[in-house]
Amino acid sequence: MTPTRLLLASSLVLLTACAQQPRQNVTVENQRDCPMQLKNGQNMILSLPSNPTTGYRWAIQDSAGGVLKSLGPEVYHNPENSDMIGAAGQSTWRFQAFATGTGRLRLTYQQPWEPEVPPVQSFDCPIVVN
């Protein structure tokens, strides 16, 4: 086999392998993105609209702990083009799929000092890890 053909054949093998690899990071921004199918080792980035200046916070009720592990605490980010005090932003969490199975990632949006008041929003996402 000539060097050119060998290079072409090995390039095709590498391209095929790359095409079959799942994206390392999967972003979820809406309930419509669920249910979520992940591969073991894949990262899931969850971003939800929030505005802590109102007293409302997202609270994790079920972290799908049997299949997902947290990669850190919630990170809140204001929009860069907003000079308004109290403007809404995004709360973001990072998780990694670590075990085959199923779970539910559930969060509620409410004021923590009023747990008896129903949440104003909720996020409920079935997770399947293969």
Side-chain angles (χ1 to χ4, degrees):
M1 185 177 269
T2 67
T4 304
R5 285 187 177 185
L6 183 59
L7 180 62
L8 180 62
S10 60
S11 296
L12 287 174
V13 169
L14 287 173
L15 282 173
T16 303
C18 289
Q20 294 175 353
Q21 294 291 325
R23 294 177 304 178
Q24 183 60 27
N25 293 324
V26 176
T27 302
V28 178
E29 295 179 338
N30 197 304
Q31 187 77 42
R32 292 184 305 257
D33 297 333
C34 297
M36 181 58 54
Q37 301 241 352
L38 300 169
K39 299 285 183 197
N40 207 342
Q42 210 170 18
N43 295 334
M44 182 177 120
I45 301 168
L46 173 63
S47 289
L48 298 173
S50 79
N51 190 347
T53 62
T54 63
Y56 286 89
R57 297 294 309 242
W58 285 102
I60 296 176
Q61 303 300 323
D62 188 345
S63 65
V67 294
L68 293 180
K69 67 178 175 181
S70 174
L71 296 178
E74 170 189 1
V75 175
Y76 176 75
H77 177 63
N78 272 334
E80 292 179 26
N81 60 354
S82 175
D83 293 330
M84 295 176 58
I85 295 173
Q90 294 285 115
S91 288
T92 303
W93 299 262
R94 293 174 38 94
F95 300 93
Q96 184 176 57
F98 75 93
T100 301
T102 61
R104 282 192 107 70
L105 182 58
R106 290 188 321 104
L107 292 89
T108 55
Y109 191 64
Q110 65 191 107
Q111 294 174 321
W113 60 87
E114 292 185 336
E116 69 283 350
V117 175
V120 294
Q121 291 182 46
S122 62
F123 178 85
D124 187 355
C125 189
I127 308 289
V128 177
V129 177
N130 298 318

